[in-house]
Amino acid sequence: MNVTLYEIAELLQAKNDVAQYENVRLNKAEFDSRLIEPGDLFLPLKGERDGHDFIATAFENGAAVTLTEKTVDFPHILVDDVLAGMQRLAQYYLEKTGVDVFAVTGSNGKTTTKDMLAQLLSTTYKTYKTQGNYNNEIGLPYTVLHMPEGTEKLVLEMGQDHLGDIHLLSELARPKVGIVTLIGEAHLEFFGSRKEIAQGKMQIADGMPEDGLLLVPADKLINDFLPQKQQLVRFGPDQDIYLTELKEEKESLTFKTNFLEQALKLPVTGKYNATNAMLASYVAKAEGVPEAAIGQALENLVLTRNRTEWKKASNGADILSDVYNANPTAMRLILETFSSLPVNPNGRKLAVLADMKELGADSKHMHGAMITSLNPELISEIFLYGQDMSSLYSYAQEIFPKEKVHYFLKNETTDQFDDLLAAVKASLQPADQILLKGSNSMNLAKIVEELEGK
């Protein structure tokens, strides 16, 4: 982080006299006092605990200076709001370095698309990306301030829980390229409708320059919010860019696009991942990455942990794990993929589906609607877990043999997780394939680990 103490004090219009402190160059910025190293800037944010309570610890670990909202007995820069100061500092650092920023948002696929784009750009440029899911008003500026010196391309993931979140992040990052992967139902509880979600996602254009490139899906909900200034590229069938010759195998995808000569191969499953790769490829090509490098990078793709991936149970069964998050669109897509794959010889397909969170008043209805993606001729047995999955259980009993549909409750007073785990382990046979999908808080990752024997 190539900034000095005085530089930050001037930028943030420090309310105290910093002349008494040495004008040192700061190494990096941290909001966790345990991660502070000599020469760092400490950012005492307010969360479940007030970071100001850990200022002394930060200096014990070697902090050079801290932002603070109150006078302390350590070298400090006094500001009205530490988080706002952190965000302003990140914005300034982007301006100072002149790095090209690429922003990715969407109800599904944003982390995968971010990973893909970063991998493609890194073949040609020094590239950095959002680590994990640091995609909010704290994580995004933190990512910026941890960008290695000399970075040429920065790929930032932008998440939203409420309308206005993306606006703030876009104004901070000012991306030259924006990607909206999909308008789904994620965090519907905090929005009035999918149209309001679309409005929020399209705020990605708010901080973009007039000559910026914006990729958005062919979803009519977006039409009311299309920007007038940026270069707009729609994707989907019969749109500006689209997929052709898509072939899906158990652990890979091959496809072509209308803008690349070569066929592309991905070492992951799920047709939606072909769309994500198409978006990343289009942007990479626009940035001058050679087609050969695009193809090779996608073949050797490495994605953020806990996205859709095949694993192996200790008894030999195949596990399709997609346990990081869930909303109706994502669940339908993975059920479609899982159902379409060939069954193993002498094996069956099983599905473990857990509650999808933050869907609001219509949550039970949206859980029940998953019945249209469950075919008893393709999936032999299902295990449903969670309070809102009760509605899907009611429908499933009408089309599945009753002994092949299992329901386990989780609410404020009851949690039948152990019963679920025991039932899944008892049923799973060596030749079977099993899908696990649910929100992260439903802890299906633990079932995956148990089945793996970890």
Side-chain angles (χ1 to χ4, degrees), residues 11 85-97 141 144-145 168 170-174:
L11 171 72
M86 177 188 186
Q87 292 168 345
R88 178 67 189 100
L89 176 57
Q91 187 179 52
Y92 168 76
Y93 196 52
L94 288 174
E95 295 167 357
K96 180 176 180 176
T97 58
V144 170
L145 296 174
L168 177 122
S170 181
E171 290 287 356
L172 189 162
R174 302 203 175 279

Side-chain angles (χ1 to χ4, degrees), residues 52-63:
H52 288 77
D53 296 340
F54 301 94
I55 288 177
T57 302
F59 278 90
E60 287 173 7
N61 290 337

Side-chain angles (χ1 to χ4, degrees), residues 216-387:
V216 297
D219 189 322
K220 291 184 290 186
L221 285 176
I222 288 177
N223 292 348
D224 289 342
F225 310 109
L226 293 176
Q228 302 301 312
K229 297 178 180 178
Q230 286 83 21
Q231 176 190 347
L232 195 66
V233 174
R234 304 296 292 264
F235 61 88
D238 301 319
Q239 297 296 311
D240 299 318
I241 59 174
Y242 53 86
L243 298 168
T244 63
E245 300 181 36
L246 175 61
K247 296 178 183 178
E248 189 171 18
E249 303 293 339
K250 178 185 170 186
E251 297 186 19
S252 66
L253 295 164
T254 56
F255 60 94
K256 287 186 175 182
T257 70
N258 65 317
F259 57 87
L260 293 175
E261 295 292 332
Q262 64 177 325
L264 300 174
K265 183 174 182 179
L266 292 175
V268 294
T269 190
K271 296 177 182 178
Y272 45 89
N273 278 321
T275 298
N276 298 335
M278 175 183 69
L279 299 176
S281 299
Y282 185 86
V283 174
K285 183 182 179 184
E287 290 297 306
V289 177
E291 280 199 28
I294 290 173
Q296 187 172 13
L298 288 177
E299 259 193 84
N300 298 300
L301 186 66
V302 177
L303 296 177
T304 297
R305 185 178 176 272
N306 277 343
R307 303 291 154 176
T308 309
E309 57 185 331
W310 283 100
K311 296 172 175 284
K312 206 73 175 175
S314 58
N315 71 348
D318 294 319
I319 304 169
L320 183 55
S321 172
D322 193 352
V323 297
Y324 180 77
N325 59 19
N327 58 54
T329 301
M331 190 167 282
R332 281 194 296 271
L333 288 170
I334 194 63
L335 281 169
E336 175 187 321
T337 289
F338 184 63
S339 299
S340 66
L341 296 175
V343 68
N344 292 334
N346 303 315
R348 307 166 299 155
K349 290 183 181 177
L350 288 66
V352 181
L353 306 177
D355 273 2
M356 302 173 279
K357 298 298 186 180
E358 299 177 355
L359 295 181
D362 290 333
S363 181
K364 284 202 171 184
H365 170 74
M366 285 186 275
H367 280 77
M370 289 300 105
I371 194 64
T372 60
S373 299
L374 287 169
N375 184 341
E377 295 181 4
L378 301 174
I379 297 178
S380 301
E381 193 167 4
I382 58 175
F383 303 81
L384 306 175
Y385 175 51
Q387 184 168 318

